Each structure stands twice: as structure tokens, then as C-alpha cells.
């Protein structure tokens, strides 16, 4: 059963070495993520499941100890999702690398010294339907007696002229609706997100948020929005459910 959840953004820019000179701009977001992970630890889960978006059509699970890297962003930083599994010096040639969203989660967890429960990773994204995401969420909640969920994903990428998706006047209202849903733990609002609009606005968090909605159906959790901003024209949100 789901006992706590946290929603965090997943830009590699959260890693200061990746952001370089722009790193201080995201200090408030990093601090909010630290607070959110503290709530997850306080819930004393038996299992932490990290859910994040991947490339289009990319879906699947990642075991504890899976590796990720930010070398593709020009920095020599490697991460693991929780404790190493098996022989940490023998990953094998076919080991799947973490997608960037789960690598950012792994970095956040390492930064806060997570050691409170085993970790599993899960990638969801386009074109999974809301119904399938909700079904996945229900399955996640049944994975252990006390499950915590770390949901990685960004809101729209169309908030300014310099945003990755350019300026779209629909982006700010869309992001505000997500912020309200996360703040109020509004499952109905997350379940009924406009998937076509989310796709057009490049909101990578759509599928992970709908997994959260499915996982929380029987949990009776309350929400709190810790951070809301759109640096670089991308909507970043941090929230907790407990």
C-alpha cells in the first residue's frame, strides 16, 4: 500500500556540475527535493519505487543497483539507483543504463544519503494510455506492505520564448492545474489529464503522475506543494503526499 509519495522535476540541470554557472538558479528546487525525500524516509517504507519518463516508447523496470551517468551532459559523474546489486565490479556488457530521469533521481537519493528501504526503478512515458498508467500504479502500490513513490517528471516546456518548446499560451494554465492537483492530492484531476495537450506542451511528467494517481487510490493521502517555478521556460514542481 502507498504510504507516501514525492513528485520532483527531472532536468539534469538539478545536478550542479551539469548546470555549471547556472547552478544557483535551481538551489530552491534542490532544497525542496531534499525536503520531499525526507518525508519519504520518515514514512519508513518497505520499498521505494522511483518512476520517471523515458524516451518515447521506452518502458520497463530497473533493479536496485542499476547504473546511470551524466557523461552525456559533459560531466564525469556516475550514479547508482540505491545499493549495488550483486557484484558491483561486474555489471556485464548488457546492463541497461538508467535513463536521465532515473539518473537524476539516483543523484538526489545519493545526495540525501538514502538508506531507508530497497529501491526499484520504473520508466513510463508516451504513448502509454492513462488507463495503463493507472493500472501500473495499482500494481506498484501492491508491491509491499508499505510503499513509497518518488515520481520524477517536468511540467510544460513551453513557458517562454526561449523554452525548449517555444512559447505556448496554454502552458501556464496547464502547469497551474498540475500544481493544484499535486497540492490537493487530486486523483481525479491527474487521472483525467489531457494527454494530447500534455504531449504538445512536452510535459514529461504526464505518465508518471498518472501512475501516482493509480497507486494512491486506496491511500487517502494529503498533498502539499513545496516548489513551483519555470526557470528556463520549463515548469518544475515539487510536492509531497502523506
Amino acid at each position: 500500500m502507498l504510504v507516501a509519495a514525492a513528485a520532483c522535476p527531472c532536468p539534469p540541470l538539478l545536478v550542479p556540475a551539469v548546470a555549471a554557472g547556472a547552478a544557483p538558479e535551481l538551489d530552491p528546487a534542490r532544497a525542496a527535493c531534499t525536503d520531499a525525500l525526507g518525508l519519504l524516509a520518515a514514512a519508513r517504507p518497505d520499498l521505494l519505487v522511483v518512476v520517471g519518463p523515458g524516451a518515447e516508447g521506452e518502458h520497463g523496470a530497473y533493479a536496485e543497483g542499476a547504473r546511470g551517468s551524466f557523461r552525456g551532459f559533459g560531466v564525469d559523474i556516475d550514479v547508482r539507483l540505491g545499493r549495488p546489486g550483486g557484484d558491483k565490479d561486474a555489471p556485464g556488457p548488457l546492463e541497461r543504463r538508467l535513463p536521465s530521469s532515473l539518473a537524476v533521481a539516483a543523484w538526489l537519493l545519493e545526495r540525501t544519503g538514502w538508506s531507508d528501504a530497497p529501491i526499484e526503478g520504473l520508466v513510463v512515458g508516451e504513448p502509454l494510455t492513462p488507463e495503463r498508467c493507472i493500472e501500473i500504479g495499482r500494481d506498484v502500490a501492491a508491491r509491499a506492505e508499505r510503499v513509497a513513490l518518488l515520481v520524477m517528471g517536468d511540467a510544460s516546456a513551453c513557458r517562454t520564448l526561449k523554452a525548449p518548446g517555444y512559447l505556448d499560451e496554454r502552458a501556464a494554465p496547464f502547469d497551474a492545474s498540475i500544481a493544484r492537483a499535486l497540492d490537493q492530492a487530486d486523483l481525479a484531476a491527474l487521472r483525467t489529464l489531457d494527454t494530447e495537450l500534455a504531449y504538445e506542451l512536452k510535459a514529461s511528467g504526464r505518465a508518471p503522475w498518472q501512475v501516482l494517481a493509480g497507486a494512491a487510490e486506496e491511500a487517502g493521502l494529503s498533498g502539499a506543494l513545496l516548489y513551483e517555478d519555470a526557470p528556463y521556460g520549463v515548469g518544475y514542481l515539487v510536492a509531497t503526499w502523506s
Side-chain angles (χ1 to χ4, degrees), residues 175-225:
D175 289 357
S177 71
I178 299 299
R180 285 193 300 272
L182 292 175
D183 185 48
Q184 299 170 12
D186 188 338
L187 305 187
L190 294 180
R191 283 195 298 261
T192 58
L193 279 175
D194 186 329
T195 57
E196 183 176 348
L197 178 59
Y199 182 77
E200 291 174 358
L201 295 178
K202 305 182 185 301
S204 68
R206 190 277 299 176
W209 295 327
Q210 291 184 321
V211 170
L212 169 60
E217 283 181 342
E218 305 296 329
L221 303 180
S222 298
L225 187 67

